Amino acid sequence: MSAEIISGTQMRKEILAELEQEVVRMKEAHGKGPGLVTILVGENPASMSYVTLKIKTALSLGFHEVQDNQPDDISEEDLLALIEKYNKDPDIHGILVQLPLPRHINEDAVINAISPDKDVDGFHPVNLGKMVIGGDEVRYLPCTPAGIQEMIVRSGTETSGAEVVVVGRSNIVGKPISVMMGQKGPGANSTVTMVHTRTQDLAAHCKRADILIVAAGVPGLVKPEWIKPGATVIDVGVNRVGTNEETGKAILSGDVDYEEACKVAGKITPVPGGVGPMTITMLMKNTVKSAWWHLERK
Ligand code: NAP
């Protein structure tokens, strides 16, 4: 048996095409499209490349995109004032502050300063609280967990009544996706177990999973014999395991022994090309959602 590959690269294309159409309709109805500001502090190379990709994607969809680069030594006070400026800007519907920030700036203070109405990363405590309440309260889901759920649903995997095991309990992946899959509603209604480094017999839990979501950051952690035959496996891990001598680029690997897992799983995400491309896609989706909300509220 060889697992069906759930391609994030392909799903990204489909979702971006859908969003592009929405932006056209929005511009026809309101004379303007979604506005996104990306705030980058300093020159961290990884952050610069993430921001560049976000800007490129936003522009390709026809967004009004503002790139606001700030020096490494900007004071927390000035950064908070900048955020407040964009909170009030009617042409901006999404505010993205690229993390991590320099040490002298309190990240929580920055996240809390973003208006929950424009928090398209879904990191503000108000939006995380709404995510936990669920139902109509949900505003912006955090992007990586939203991408994971979207992949599960679009792959045709049944979630209702499914045993979901999530490896990892971080605030950005493990905890939110555990809550989301356990909610009442479509694409959820699962029975969720969240496991971590203190879990006894990790393998036994993984083996029960109809849907196994792995976000540990440990290459090859999940062995093929831990996978229930036919299960859907979502590998969130992105680990640098070497460098390609010809291209000089990093060789990436997930948290699952991919080659062997393909022989057991029913469906599986690759690394790279799996969850990775979905995160920015979900950021775009949140920004479009925010724009509709801002433009259509009375
Ligand atoms: P994190 O904050 O380091 O959390 C890792 C979690 O995994 C922790 O809860 C930890 O348990 C658990 N864990 C680690 N080793 C384990 C083991 N041997 N057995 C059981 N549990 C273990 O990581 P994160 O931010 O969630 O990221 C996880 C991975 O996903 C990373 O590789 C990251 O690069 C990747 N990622 C990808 C995307 C994307 O593709 N867009 C986005 C975010 C993250 P404890 O709590 O007990 O320490």
Side-chain angles (χ1 to χ4, degrees):
M1 189 167 97
S2 186
E4 180 186 325
I5 309 303
I6 308 174
S7 166
T9 313
Q10 183 56 34
M11 282 186 189
R12 171 178 59 186
K13 268 194 210 148
E14 291 163 15
I15 297 166
L16 292 183
E18 292 163 15
L19 292 177
E20 208 174 341
Q21 293 303 313
E22 268 197 66
V23 173
V24 170
R25 284 204 304 279
M26 191 182 292
K27 285 183 177 172
E28 281 167 6
H30 296 284
K32 63 177 169 183
L36 175 70
V37 59
T38 46
I39 301 174
L40 173 66
V41 178
E43 294 180 351
N44 175 323
S47 294
M48 284 166 75
S49 87
Y50 287 137
V51 166
T52 305
L53 203 54
K54 288 169 187 174
I55 293 169
K56 209 174 128 195
T57 311
L59 290 174
S60 76
L61 294 174
F63 285 16
H64 163 59
E65 158 61 47
V66 177
Q67 180 179 4
D68 196 330
N69 289 359
Q70 294 294 327
D72 208 21
D73 61 356
I74 185 174
S75 68
E76 185 175 309
E77 197 186 354
D78 286 351
L79 184 57
L80 295 180
L82 189 68
I83 290 170
E84 191 48 28
K85 182 184 95 168
Y86 289 117
N87 279 341
K88 291 183 180 146
D89 185 338
D91 290 331
I92 294 296
H93 310 114
I95 301 173
L96 182 132
V97 181
Q98 186 64 42
L99 302 178
L101 292 168
R103 282 213 191 130
H104 67 277
I105 298 176
N106 179 340
E107 279 188 3
D108 287 342
V110 170
I111 290 170
N112 291 348
I114 297 171
S115 161
D117 293 338
K118 298 188 177 185
D119 165 44
V120 287
D121 256 336
F123 288 157
H124 194 287
V126 166
N127 287 320
L128 288 174
K130 286 174 183 281
M131 186 259 304
V132 174
I133 295 167
D136 293 342
E137 283 294 321
V138 175
R139 230 11 228 296
Y140 306 116
L141 294 170
C143 298
T144 300
I148 295 169
Q149 191 175 36
E150 189 91 27
M151 293 185 100
I152 294 170
V153 171
R154 285 185 185 243
S155 73
T157 301
E158 179 58 77
T159 60
S160 183
E163 290 283 339
V164 171
V165 174
V166 179
V167 184
R169 55 178 166 181
S170 71
N171 286 335
I172 60 165
V173 190
K175 261 188 240 172
I177 191 62
S178 298
V179 171
M180 286 160 59
M181 295 309 295
Q183 292 289 19
K184 198 164 190 158
N189 279 329
S190 306
T191 305
V192 182
T193 306
M194 188 169 62
V195 298
H196 44 76
T197 56
R198 308 298 164 93
T199 298
Q200 294 180 24
D201 205 346
L202 196 61
H205 287 286
C206 292
K207 272 186 209 167
R208 284 192 298 103
D210 301 309
I211 302 172
L212 180 60
I213 302 168
V214 192
V218 181
L221 174 68
V222 172
K223 314 286 179 272
E225 59 273 21
W226 296 12
I227 297 170
K228 182 175 172 179
T232 292
V233 178
I234 309 290
D235 189 353
V236 191
V238 181
N239 307 293
R240 287 171 168 255
V241 291
T243 308
N244 182 315
E245 284 182 9
E246 278 178 24
T247 61
K249 285 189 177 169
I251 300 171
L252 301 178
S253 147
D255 290 349
V256 177
D257 179 350
Y258 181 73
E259 297 296 328
E260 292 301 312
C262 279
K263 297 175 187 165
V264 189
K267 299 175 183 180
I268 190 166
T269 60
V271 178
V275 176
M278 294 296 282
T279 300
I280 293 181
T281 308
M282 291 300 116
L283 176 74
M284 300 300 138
K285 195 170 174 177
N286 277 346
T287 307
V288 170
K289 185 177 185 184
S290 173
W292 280 123
W293 183 81
H294 279 92
L295 294 170
E296 304 221 318
R297 74 184 161 163
K298 302 285 174 254

